[in-house]
Amino acid sequence: MTDNLENISQSQHQIPIGKDLAGANLAGKDLSGANLTGANLAGANLQRAILRSNLRGADLTGADLTGADFRNADLRGAAFANAIAREASFGGAFLAGSAIGNLDLSGVDFRGADLRGANLSGALLQQADLSNANLSGADLSGADLEEANLNGALLRGANLTRANLLCACMEETVWEGATLDRACLEGTPLSP
């Protein structure tokens, strides 16, 4: 593990594809531009780390992503099971097809993120900023979006069955073909 950390500090942009950094303490590190394609970051401490990088297919299972900066990162196909991601920033990130359901994503910044077809079922997205995010075809069934910002978001064909949208902001949100069966819409413009 020590060798892995020394290699990162020496050359953050030349991390070999598939690098094993499981359990590494990378808190506060700037890994901008690093190629972390397929990297094993399971259980890693990435609190407040800057990861504006290629993390396509990376394993972030059980990682602590609290306050991490993933703005504009490529996270397609990354695994997030049991990760902690409160107050992280995924603004403009590519998360299409990612499985990030059942995570606590309260207060997370997803502004302008590409979440097409992502699995967010059961996710806690209270007060999350999803403004201008593309959630077309995403699975948000059972997700808690209380007081979330969905202004300008694209939810074409999204599944929001049993989702909690209590007091969510949704100006200029595109709902075309979205499923809202048994969703809580109280305090929203869609409230009956």
Side-chain angles (χ1 to χ4, degrees):
M1 185 63 62
T2 304
D3 292 338
N4 290 341
L5 296 176
E6 288 172 7
N7 290 341
I8 288 172
S9 62
Q10 290 170 6
S11 179
Q12 67 185 15
H13 300 289
Q14 297 177 6
I15 298 169
I17 292 174
K19 192 70 168 172
D20 185 2
L21 298 167
N25 183 1
L26 300 170
K29 297 278 187 195
D30 184 350
L31 300 173
S32 297
N35 183 358
L36 293 165
T37 303
N40 180 3
L41 292 158
N45 179 357
L46 295 164
Q47 292 180 23
R48 297 172 317 284
I50 301 170
L51 293 146
R52 299 180 196 167
S53 312
N54 183 349
L55 289 140
R56 196 170 192 167
D59 184 359
L60 295 158
T61 302
D64 188 346
L65 311 174
T66 304
D69 181 354
F70 291 96
R71 286 180 291 167
N72 301 311
D74 186 347
L75 291 152
R76 290 175 284 185
F80 290 90
N82 301 313
I84 301 166
R86 291 182 66 91
E87 300 175 11
S89 177
F90 292 93
F94 299 95
L95 290 146
S98 294
I100 49 181
N102 296 312
L103 294 182
D104 185 350
L105 300 165
S106 301
V108 170
D109 175 8
F110 284 109
R111 287 177 292 174
D114 183 351
L115 291 153
R116 288 174 293 158
N119 180 355
L120 292 151
S121 62
L124 294 176
L125 290 156
Q126 297 171 343
Q127 299 178 341
D129 190 346
L130 292 147
S131 57
N132 301 309
N134 188 345
L135 292 148
S136 297
D139 183 359
L140 290 151
S141 58
D144 188 347
L145 292 146
E146 185 173 337
E147 296 182 2
N149 182 352
L150 293 164
N151 291 335
L154 299 177
L155 287 154
R156 288 187 180 102
N159 180 5
L160 289 121
T161 302
R162 295 180 316 280
N164 177 17
L165 293 157
L166 180 68
C167 298
C169 300
M170 47 184 71
E171 292 179 22
E172 299 182 27
T173 302
V174 178
W175 298 97
E176 183 181 310
T179 303
L180 292 162
D181 189 36
R182 298 183 307 268
C184 173
L185 301 169
E186 189 177 325
T188 71
L190 298 177
S191 182

